Amino acid sequence: MIRSYAFLPLFLVSLALASCGFSLRGNQPLPPSVNYVAVTSAQAHAPLARALKQRLEVYDIQAGDLADTPNPDHTVLIRIMPEQLERRLLSVFSTGQVAEYELIYGVNYQVIFPDQEAVSAYFEVLRDYQDDPAQVLAKTRELNLVLQEMRQEAADRIIRRLASQSPVSDIE
């Protein structure tokens, strides 16, 4: 008998969260009128544009180039401006060589919803990177992996912001 009541608190908490409108971050749907996202970039084959297209597929959102748009009236356009990567010095070795950097990946983009004004946005993704002059090849590979991870995080942020910036009249 006690065993059957063990799930009651869990059920009540789940019911309370569902009834108050709680949803996980990044779980906001795009408006039903939007059925395609066209991604363009200032640079041909920009790594962030490729990462964004891949992440859109993960979220089950059709994405591609502007030329492949099936219906321009129901297409959201995302324009990716050239990416910016800066390194800020954090620490040095006793010999004067750089020991640690802060990588600052700046993303500037525009979102254009059908029949709406362009919405511009900018954000930064930050990472600490330790440099070791004795292991140049390994650190180059590690830097490339860190940059790839930063691009994926930037693509996820763009998708979350896309859902939150969508016109309110189309959501419900």
Side-chain angles (χ1 to χ4, degrees):
M1 187 73 167
I2 294 174
R3 189 181 260 174
S4 63
Y5 292 114
F7 293 107
L8 185 62
L10 180 63
F11 175 73
L12 290 175
V13 169
S14 299
L15 183 65
L17 283 176
S19 65
C20 76
F22 174 80
S23 65
L24 294 174
R25 186 174 93 175
N27 200 22
Q28 296 172 314
L30 287 177
S33 63
V34 175
N35 56 14
Y36 190 81
V37 176
V39 179
T40 62
S41 62
Q43 299 172 334
H45 309 293
L48 180 58
R50 281 184 291 173
L52 181 58
K53 288 176 190 175
Q54 290 172 348
R55 298 305 293 171
L56 284 166
E57 289 177 10
V58 169
Y59 288 99
D60 290 330
I61 300 170
Q62 289 185 336
D65 296 323
L66 191 57
D68 302 333
T69 304
N71 187 354
D73 295 335
H74 298 293
T75 299
V76 175
L77 175 63
I78 300 176
R79 286 188 188 143
I80 306 290
M81 306 305 168
E83 60 189 13
Q84 303 164 0
L85 181 65
E86 298 177 24
R87 293 191 301 182
R88 188 178 336 180
L89 180 67
L90 291 181
S91 63
V92 294
F93 292 119
S94 60
T95 60
Q97 292 180 323
V98 177
E100 189 176 15
Y101 289 107
E102 179 178 47
L103 298 175
I104 305 166
Y105 183 72
V107 177
N108 193 5
Y109 68 99
Q110 287 184 332
V111 177
I112 304 172
F113 285 95
D115 302 327
Q116 301 283 325
E117 293 284 323
V119 178
S120 297
Y122 176 81
F123 63 88
E124 294 177 344
V125 178
L126 305 173
R127 291 285 186 279
D128 289 346
Y129 174 72
Q130 295 180 351
D131 196 16
D132 185 3
Q135 299 179 358
V136 176
L137 291 177
K139 286 298 179 177
T140 302
R141 176 73 177 139
E142 181 183 351
L143 179 61
N144 289 336
L145 290 173
V146 169
L147 286 175
Q148 182 180 358
E149 177 187 302
M150 292 171 82
R151 286 185 185 109
Q152 287 180 350
E153 181 179 334
D156 285 337
R157 278 194 195 180
I158 291 172
I159 293 169
R160 284 193 304 266
R161 286 187 178 183
L162 181 67
S164 67
Q165 291 172 343
S166 63
V168 177
S169 61
D170 288 344
I171 291 178
E172 295 187 72

